[in-house]
């Protein structure tokens, strides 16, 4: 069959068989973040485009080349024309919400997270690089102490440990200075790179005077060659930033979180200041292999018109985490599809099955059945496939006798009971209908 419609380039479908991976990650993030006192924040998938232009930065690839922008033409007379963009990251929307909901007058720091949602970047698709992908996101807004940076990194590291990945990963860390020392750092970098600027790629030649930090981030080998001779960032940052960075590292040592100092880790977005960090596979630190990255952004809220508010955040790349989980054969919890499977044989039993399904689902059980399969054998097979724990069977005889057979699918035992007693019988067998309790039997 020749397909008339196909997926847009750089996107993918998540099929039911892959849902356990997604749920595992989102549940893990939620559990850890709630445990650390973070609140879940859901923001729109699109925002005023300026939020990202100002924050992520005009000179970054994300804004210059990769934004999915839309124009509203003022369709309704009470609206002015506005330029929106599908979010290329979470942080901008989180900071907008922080100000819009007056969170700056809440006790600080305000701790927010999102367990995972779509992000859009119109880049060139390749392995591990999509145009629509998903990130989980963590933000700690309103405190700049090294302890806050260390605690945020601890939370991130514990999430990757809960996912079973910590032994394969390394935490890379750097400090890129503050508002005060960054202009001096940029000046120094320009003077270092200027003599060999014609050897840079065309993008970096353009960036040299607007944002030389971006050159350090460039993946082109000819630019990396030049970058490798540059002075290390820790030697360029001011004394205050260096002391702050040393304190962060000391806390990480205290927590026994191992890290690699990466003097060239500057991250791809403009708003970062001071601590930057990224998670990589120990054996693979190439182009698209980062499994998550973050850092502090002390001036972003002020840039959006709020008070000077230091903050630190992190975004994890869910597709790349799933790839790693699969590559390392890590077993993720299965999603139970049904607790009870309704099996019916004969026309009369169909009507009875309808009532039982309705009553049991009303009572909170996960109940399934196989429509279009009429034999006992084919329906039992279907029940096994969804890993149902119990089957309720109504054949011709049970239909007449007003009984049902309750079959334990794991122990191969069964019992015939009165139809009107099904709910009471199940409530004894599955005393608490909460998932965790059901899963125990
Ligand atoms: P960033 O927001 O650029 O700091 O990225 C954070 C994480 O998101 C990265 O470490 C990747 O794991 C993931 N990521 C970034 N861009 C993409 C993309 N185009 N496709 C898939 N994952 C991505």
């Amino acid at each position: 069959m020749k397909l008339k419609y196909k997926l847009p380039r750089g996107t993918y479908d998540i099929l039911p068989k892959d849902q356990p991976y997604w749920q595992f990650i989102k549940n893990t993030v939620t559990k850890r973040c709630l445990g650390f006192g973070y609140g879940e924040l859901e923001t729109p998938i699109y925002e005023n485009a300026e939020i990202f232009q100002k924050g992520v930065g005009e000179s970054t690839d994300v804004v210059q080349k990769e934004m999915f922008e839309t124009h509203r033409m003022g369709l309704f007379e009470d609206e002015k024309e506005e330029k929106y963009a599908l979010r290329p990251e979470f942080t901008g929307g989180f900071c907008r919400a922080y100000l819009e909901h007056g969170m700056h007058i809440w006790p600080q720091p305000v701790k927010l997270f999102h367990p995972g949602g779509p992000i859009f970047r119109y880049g060139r698709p390749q392995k591990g690089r999509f145009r629509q992908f998903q990130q989980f996101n963590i933000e700690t807004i309103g405190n700049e102490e090294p302890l806050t940076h260390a605690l945020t990194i601890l939370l991130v590291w514990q999430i990757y440990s809960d996912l079973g990945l910590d032994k394969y990963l390394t935490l890379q860390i750097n400090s890129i200075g503050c508002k005060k020392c960054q202009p001096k750092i940029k000046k120094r970098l320009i003077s270092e790179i200027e003599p060999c600027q014609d050897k840079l790629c065309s993008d970096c030649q353009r960036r040299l005077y607007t944002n030389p930090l971006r050159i350090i981030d460039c993946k082109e080998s000819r630019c990396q060659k030049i970058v490798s001779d540059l002075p290390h960032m820790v030697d360029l940052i001011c004394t205050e930033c260096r002391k702050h960075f040393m304190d962060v590292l000391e806390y990480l040592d205290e927590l026994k979180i191992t890290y690699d100092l990466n003097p060239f880790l500057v991250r791809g977005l403009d708003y970062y200041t001071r601590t930057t960090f990224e998670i990589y596979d120990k054996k693979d630190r190439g182009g698209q292999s980062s499994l998550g990255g973050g850092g502090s952004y002390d001036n972003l809220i002020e840039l959006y018109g709020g008070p000077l508010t230091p903050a630190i955040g992190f975004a994890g790349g869910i597709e790349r985490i799933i790839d790693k989980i699969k590559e390392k054969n890590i077993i993720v919890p299965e999603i139970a599809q049904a607790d009870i499977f309704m099996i019916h044989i004969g026309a009369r039993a169909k009507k009875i099955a309808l009532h039982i399904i309705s009553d049991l689902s009303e009572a909170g059980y996960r109940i399934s059945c196989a429509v279009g399969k009429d034999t006992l054998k084919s329906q039992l097979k279907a029940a096994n496939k969804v890993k149902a724990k119990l089957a309720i069977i109504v054949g011709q005889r049970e239909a007449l006798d007003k009984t049902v057979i309750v079959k334990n699918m794991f122990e191969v035992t069964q019992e015939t009971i009165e139809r009107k007693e099904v709910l009471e019988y199940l409530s004894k067998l599955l005393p608490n209908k909460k998932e965790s309790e059901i899963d125990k039997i």
Side-chain angles (χ1 to χ4, degrees), residues 89 121 128-130 133 135 267 269 272 278 290-293 315-317 319-320:
E89 50 118 45
R121 292 184 192 171
R129 197 179 162 97
F130 300 93
F133 58 101
Q135 289 183 337
R267 313 275 297 111
L269 319 177
Y272 286 114
E278 201 144 340
S290 154
L291 273 74
E319 293 76 6
R320 295 189 195 171

Side-chain angles (χ1 to χ4, degrees), residues 59 61 64-65 189-191 193-220 222-224 226-227:
S59 66
D61 279 357
Q64 265 191 1
K65 303 180 188 167
L189 289 176
I190 294 173
S191 72
I193 302 172
E194 230 169 8
C196 38
Q197 62 172 299
D198 51 340
K199 294 198 183 94
L200 294 169
C201 74
S202 56
D203 274 346
C204 286
Q205 293 198 14
R206 194 167 26 80
R207 288 173 185 142
L208 178 59
Y209 297 103
T210 53
N211 197 345
L213 275 179
R214 293 274 68 77
I215 299 176
I216 298 182
D217 205 34
C218 182
K219 303 285 179 280
E220 293 275 336
R222 53 188 157 154
C223 301
Q224 285 190 350
I226 296 168
V227 168

Side-chain angles (χ1 to χ4, degrees), residues 342-358 369-375 379 394-396 399 419:
M342 183 68 233
I343 294 178
H344 52 87
I345 302 136
R348 259 186 118 108
K350 270 191 190 157
K351 271 194 187 163
I352 296 166
L354 269 182
H355 284 288
I356 296 178
I357 289 174
S358 164
C369 68
V371 179
K373 290 189 171 39
D374 289 331
T375 64
Q379 292 183 64
V394 179
Q396 276 153 5
R419 197 192 306 153

Side-chain angles (χ1 to χ4, degrees), residues 26 29 42 87 90 113-118 134-137 318:
K26 291 181 184 185
V29 170
E42 183 84 51
R87 63 183 178 210
F90 272 110
F113 81 99
H114 194 289
Q134 293 208 21
Q135 289 183 337
F136 70 82
N137 191 60
I318 301 188

Side-chain angles (χ1 to χ4, degrees), residues 60-242:
T60 58
D61 279 357
V62 170
V63 164
Q64 265 191 1
K65 303 180 188 167
E66 299 178 356
M67 284 247 279
F68 278 82
E69 285 180 77
T70 59
H71 292 262
R72 276 283 293 112
M73 300 309 289
L75 197 59
F76 302 101
E77 59 283 357
D78 57 342
E79 286 179 342
K80 59 179 185 343
E81 186 184 334
E82 217 146 343
K83 200 163 145 193
Y84 294 111
L86 297 182
R87 63 183 178 210
E89 50 118 45
F90 272 110
T91 306
F94 269 48
C95 291
R96 192 248 333 122
Y98 174 87
L99 288 172
E100 203 161 342
H101 298 281
M103 295 186 207
H104 55 291
I105 55 171
W106 296 5
Q108 306 292 302
V110 173
K111 301 190 282 186
L112 302 166
F113 81 99
H114 194 289
I119 297 292
F120 303 84
R121 292 184 192 171
Y122 196 82
R124 181 176 286 282
Q126 49 189 286
K127 192 181 174 323
R129 197 179 162 97
F130 300 93
R131 286 183 175 161
Q132 179 180 332
F133 58 101
Q134 293 208 21
Q135 289 183 337
F136 70 82
N137 191 60
I138 293 166
E139 308 290 350
T140 318
I141 308 175
N143 186 280
E144 63 182 328
E145 283 174 52
L147 192 62
T148 292
H149 288 204
L151 283 170
T152 305
I153 295 172
L154 171 68
L155 166 61
V156 168
W157 193 248
Q158 287 191 339
I159 288 172
Y160 285 86
S161 309
D162 291 349
L163 295 173
L165 287 171
D166 51 328
K167 50 186 168 296
Y168 308 110
L169 303 179
T170 142
L171 167 76
Q172 303 215 354
I173 192 163
N174 193 21
S175 173
I176 59 168
C178 63
K179 202 176 178 178
K180 271 193 292 175
C181 56
Q182 273 189 356
K184 283 186 210 149
I185 295 173
K186 286 179 184 167
K187 237 181 176 170
R188 171 79 188 274
L189 289 176
I190 294 173
S191 72
E192 295 278 340
I193 302 172
E194 230 169 8
C196 38
Q197 62 172 299
D198 51 340
K199 294 198 183 94
L200 294 169
C201 74
S202 56
D203 274 346
C204 286
Q205 293 198 14
R206 194 167 26 80
R207 288 173 185 142
L208 178 59
Y209 297 103
T210 53
N211 197 345
L213 275 179
R214 293 274 68 77
I215 299 176
I216 298 182
D217 205 34
C218 182
K219 303 285 179 280
E220 293 275 336
S221 57
R222 53 188 157 154
C223 301
Q224 285 190 350
K225 223 183 237 168
I226 296 168
V227 168
S228 63
D229 291 331
L230 291 177
H232 289 181
M233 206 60 78
V234 270
D235 297 324
L236 301 178
I237 57 182
C238 63
T239 324
E240 225 178 284
C241 284
R242 196 169 309 128

